[in-house]
Amino acid sequence: MAAHRSCVLWSYCGRRWSWVMRCYELPGLRSAWAGGQLGARQLSQKKQATETHFGFETVSEEEKGGKVYHVFESVAKKYDVMNDMMSLGIHRIWKDLLLWKMRPFPGTQLLDVAGGTGLAWVLGDAEELPFDDDKFDVYTVAFGIRNVTHIDQALQEAHRVLKPGGRFLCLEFSQVNNPLISRLYDLYSFQVIPVLGEVIAGDWKSYQYLVESIRQFPPQEEFKEMIEDAGFEKVTYESLTSGIVAIHSGFKL
Amino acid sequence: MGHLGFLLLLGDRALSWACYEFSPSETLQSAPRPERFAVSARRFSRVPAAMATLLRAALRPLRPPPGHREPAADVRLRGARRGTGLLYPEHIPTSPLQKVLLAAGSAGMALYNPYRHDMVAVLGETTGHRALKVLRDQMKRDPEGAQILQERPRILLSTLDLDKLRSLPEGSLGQEYLRFLDVNRVSPDTRAPTRFVDDEELAYVIQRYREVHDMLHTLLGMPTNMLGEIVVKWFEAVQTGLPMCLLGALFGPIRLRTQHLPLLVSELIPWAVQSGRRAPCVLNLYYEQRWEQPLRALREELGITEPPMPSGPWPRP
């Protein structure tokens, strides 16, 4: 079953991290993006240097991209092991739920951003995708959009490359809605996760950045508004595991 | 209900204490505190990018002129820019709970994978507070030790004059140390910097202990295989009292091949313990001023006898 195969691909999702997008079709049609059909995109001028957050640190926007890159360069080797250890394997359930929501079928043109490894991949920038307009049926991003310097631009790009009728799906850490669980979650995040990172991967700071970046990401309602601002309609979200993660969905109509 | 409430309050206080991170200058907090943030979470900004920090460490020999404490100034500068709380460049402030978790995790991982030297280091840092204080006070009482604390020499490739060491006579400490580095294919620069010690002077003491570790290999004539490391750990355990050394000495043999255990137990450990007891504190030796001293003479001075050699070649790890 197509969805099952996608699930299998998902489980290899983070094996090797890079700013990579995965563009693949489910069995049925041959790949439609070979070679020069993508259409080159001109890189825009460098943006004005303003300040933004890197976890709880304040950095310039120019710096942030590089710092995030180094974080993921550093965690790449033990990425899967750490994901399993930190979430006790629950991240696989979250990703399965995302796929279930998507219900892809043969012929779906799917773009998965920040996906790690996959069938056919393209190196690019989420804020400036190297694809033409109105190309994909579904755009997904799982645990990636949080690390983008300009989330609004990534959302606008998502809107641009989707076909009319296309769907945007985002799986991301969000805000916990239960005060007791929130306290336990904070405790676990800040006391245990960096320790796990140090003991298993020998890298405290990357995992400190991870838990801090989660806190810096907007909560469900605010992110929903950001998606609507980018032009998506019928935007909904579903919180999972008391709001530890949320799946946001929007349509380009 | 009253009792339950009291217990909950007590538990909450204990939890807050366990998760509260050490901060030497709270009033100077400049990092903004995000609203969604619970009490147990971190309040500091983070140390700058790892690359920049490594570059700084490599370019700057940690040898401030007497009377002028350069590292403190550096911390102030970083503090002003990034928020305070860092006592030294590599410092990562940790709560009591994190230290407990780190100690347990690093102990387990070091036993599971003895090649994780960084885990041994972390274990030392998180469990060594009391022992380090005793060591520091011992160093202060000794004239040579006090000089080391004052001048803070570092044993790094950048601070060692390798050509000069190579030119020293055969049998001198410098020559033997270089030979040890070559034969075992190790470098003094592979020592990880201290991160989890919440006192700047004690951080130096443990850093010095780590850098002196190679010296001890040279003094004791022990190679860097598992057996040699365990012998050196026994010597260090007696000398320093660091829990990490004690744990390593006691549990290290679990990872050793059973064929080596008789030699270890009957000859090497007693010799190491006796030598450790006889010798004065090895952290009080200003090795950088003793490169020319013949190794034999230094061993005599410390009361370290020749190591009991096995009848055949050294056992492979």
Side-chain angles (χ1 to χ4, degrees):
Chain A
M1 187 182 112
H4 173 70
R5 187 168 145 183
S6 336
C7 289
V8 169
L9 284 165
W10 270 112
S11 72
Y12 288 97
C13 191
R15 192 162 294 246
R16 203 180 75 239
W17 186 282
S18 51
W19 279 115
V20 152
M21 282 155 291
R22 194 159 37 129
C23 164
Y24 68 92
E25 283 168 47
L26 296 153
L29 284 174
R30 63 176 179 82
S31 174
W33 65 273
Q37 285 180 334
L38 285 172
R41 298 277 305 164
Q42 300 288 343
L43 281 177
S44 61
Q45 303 291 74
K46 255 199 158 167
K47 285 116 188 159
Q48 281 279 40
T50 46
E51 299 227 301
T52 182
H53 51 77
F54 178 71
F56 292 149
E57 226 181 297
T58 307
V59 300
S60 76
E61 285 188 346
E62 283 171 358
E63 269 186 288
K64 175 157 180 176
K67 289 175 88 102
V68 170
Y69 179 83
H70 283 120
V71 164
F72 286 99
E73 193 82 353
S74 170
V75 303
K77 259 193 181 163
K78 294 264 171 92
Y79 191 69
D80 285 332
V81 170
M82 284 302 300
N83 279 347
D84 279 329
M85 292 296 294
M86 290 190 289
S87 68
L88 305 170
I90 298 172
H91 73 107
R92 296 170 186 271
I93 300 174
W94 293 330
K95 287 165 184 166
D96 274 354
L97 281 167
L98 176 69
L99 271 222
W100 191 86
K101 228 177 154 77
M102 197 196 305
R103 295 192 196 90
F105 52 86
T108 304
Q109 296 258 29
L110 172 71
L111 176 67
D112 176 48
V113 175
T117 53
L119 289 167
W121 47 270
V122 174
L123 187 67
D125 185 344
E127 297 176 14
E128 283 206 56
L129 294 172
F131 302 114
D132 286 333
D133 301 5
D134 306 330
K135 204 136 185 77
F136 297 100
D137 296 309
V138 184
Y139 173 113
T140 58
V141 56
F143 303 119
I145 206 161
R146 182 181 88 246
N147 300 295
V148 174
T149 311
H150 301 104
I151 296 175
D152 51 341
Q153 283 181 22
L155 292 171
Q156 279 164 28
E157 280 293 277
H159 191 265
R160 182 182 65 78
V161 302
L162 277 170
K163 289 180 192 164
R167 190 175 193 184
F168 167 85
L169 278 166
C170 172
L171 172 67
E172 189 53 80
F173 288 108
S174 202
Q175 195 178 41
V176 177
N177 42 38
N178 178 310
L180 175 64
I181 297 186
S182 175
R183 187 101 195 263
L184 289 171
Y185 178 54
D186 280 345
L187 188 83
Y188 180 71
S189 293
F190 286 91
Q191 299 298 314
V192 178
I193 286 191
V195 173
L196 275 180
E198 178 63 32
V199 171
I200 298 174
D203 190 349
W204 175 287
K205 289 178 190 161
S206 293
Y207 291 91
Q208 184 72 43
Y209 162 74
L210 166 74
V211 295
E212 290 178 0
S213 68
I214 291 173
R215 297 307 180 287
Q216 296 286 40
F217 190 71
Q220 286 88 327
E221 272 298 323
E222 200 180 317
F223 189 49
K224 175 181 170 214
E225 282 164 28
M226 288 172 76
I227 299 172
E228 284 167 348
D229 286 343
F232 290 100
E233 289 169 66
K234 294 259 184 274
V235 180
T236 57
Y237 62 83
E238 185 188 340
S239 293
L240 306 174
T241 325
S242 301
I244 293 179
V245 300
I247 299 178
H248 280 76
S249 160
F251 290 90
K252 173 176 178 176
L253 297 175
Chain B
M1 203 53 206
H3 286 106
L4 181 63
F6 175 72
L7 281 172
L8 282 173
L9 186 66
L10 208 63
D12 186 275
R13 292 287 119 229
L15 202 63
S16 297
W17 173 83
C19 300
Y20 183 71
E21 277 166 12
F22 166 74
S23 166
S25 45
E26 294 259 22
T27 51
L28 293 173
Q29 273 299 330
S30 58
R33 187 173 172 169
E35 285 313 309
R36 292 191 274 291
F37 200 10
V39 67
S40 57
R42 291 188 54 86
R43 300 167 65 198
F44 307 107
S45 306
R46 296 307 302 129
V47 176
M51 305 254 291
T53 317
L54 280 170
L55 196 61
R56 283 186 80 103
L59 292 176
R60 178 170 53 86
L62 268 170
R63 193 193 284 263
H68 171 63
R69 297 279 277 243
E70 196 203 31
D74 191 52
V75 168
R76 271 205 305 280
L77 204 64
R78 287 174 190 276
R81 214 188 133 201
R82 300 250 184 222
T84 51
L86 303 180
L87 300 166
Y88 45 92
E90 291 294 324
H91 186 208
I92 297 179
T94 42
S95 66
L97 178 60
Q98 283 175 320
K99 288 206 175 61
V100 167
L101 294 173
L102 266 177
S106 59
M109 184 55 92
L111 205 60
Y112 173 73
N113 181 357
Y115 291 100
R116 288 289 301 271
H117 300 298
D118 60 323
M119 287 292 101
V120 178
V122 169
L123 182 61
E125 287 171 32
T126 49
T127 55
H129 190 75
R130 255 190 217 145
L132 285 174
K133 270 202 204 151
V134 170
L135 275 174
R136 188 259 311 267
D137 295 341
Q138 215 175 35
M139 286 174 82
K140 272 198 173 138
R141 284 197 295 269
D142 180 88
E144 211 171 332
Q147 194 189 6
I148 295 171
L149 277 179
Q150 177 76 6
E151 293 179 16
R152 306 238 177 138
R154 297 287 304 274
I155 304 177
L156 297 166
L157 284 177
S158 50
T159 57
L160 295 175
D161 187 349
L162 293 174
D163 293 326
K164 178 170 167 257
L165 288 180
R166 258 186 222 111
S167 68
L168 288 171
E170 188 74 31
S172 61
L173 177 65
Q175 259 280 344
E176 293 295 317
Y177 174 64
L178 268 190
R179 196 154 69 89
F180 161 79
L181 290 180
D182 286 333
V183 164
N184 291 279
R185 284 195 290 266
V186 291
S187 153
D189 288 359
T190 54
R191 302 269 159 230
T194 314
R195 282 172 301 157
F196 301 113
V197 176
D198 293 331
D199 179 309
E200 188 236 354
E201 194 170 34
L202 296 181
Y204 173 74
V205 173
I206 204 172
Q207 189 73 45
R208 180 73 183 168
Y209 151 77
R210 254 177 230 157
E211 288 171 5
V212 161
H213 178 81
D214 290 339
M215 287 292 157
L216 293 181
H217 272 281
T218 311
L219 277 174
L220 297 170
M222 289 290 128
T224 53
N225 54 24
M226 193 69 193
L227 189 59
E229 291 291 349
I230 292 174
V231 176
V232 176
K233 274 286 163 286
W234 275 95
F235 180 86
E236 287 175 344
V238 171
Q239 278 267 313
T240 64
L242 281 167
M244 174 266 284
C245 298
L246 289 159
L247 288 170
L250 287 170
F251 292 100
I254 292 175
R255 300 288 310 193
L256 206 60
R257 293 208 194 126
T258 40
Q259 69 200 88
H260 301 155
L261 285 175
L263 175 69
L264 183 70
V265 171
S266 62
E267 307 240 12
L268 290 169
I269 289 179
W271 169 77
V273 170
Q274 271 169 20
S275 304
R277 280 216 175 109
R278 255 199 310 265
C281 181
V282 286
L283 284 180
N284 285 338
L285 299 175
Y286 208 137
Y287 296 97
E288 292 88 337
Q289 291 175 349
R290 290 171 178 256
W291 291 129
E292 294 94 359
Q293 186 177 9
L295 184 60
R296 198 175 284 273
L298 183 56
R299 279 182 180 158
E300 257 182 58
E301 187 183 327
L302 298 176
I304 296 175
T305 52
E306 285 295 313
M309 285 312 222
S311 48
W314 258 104
R316 309 294 292 138

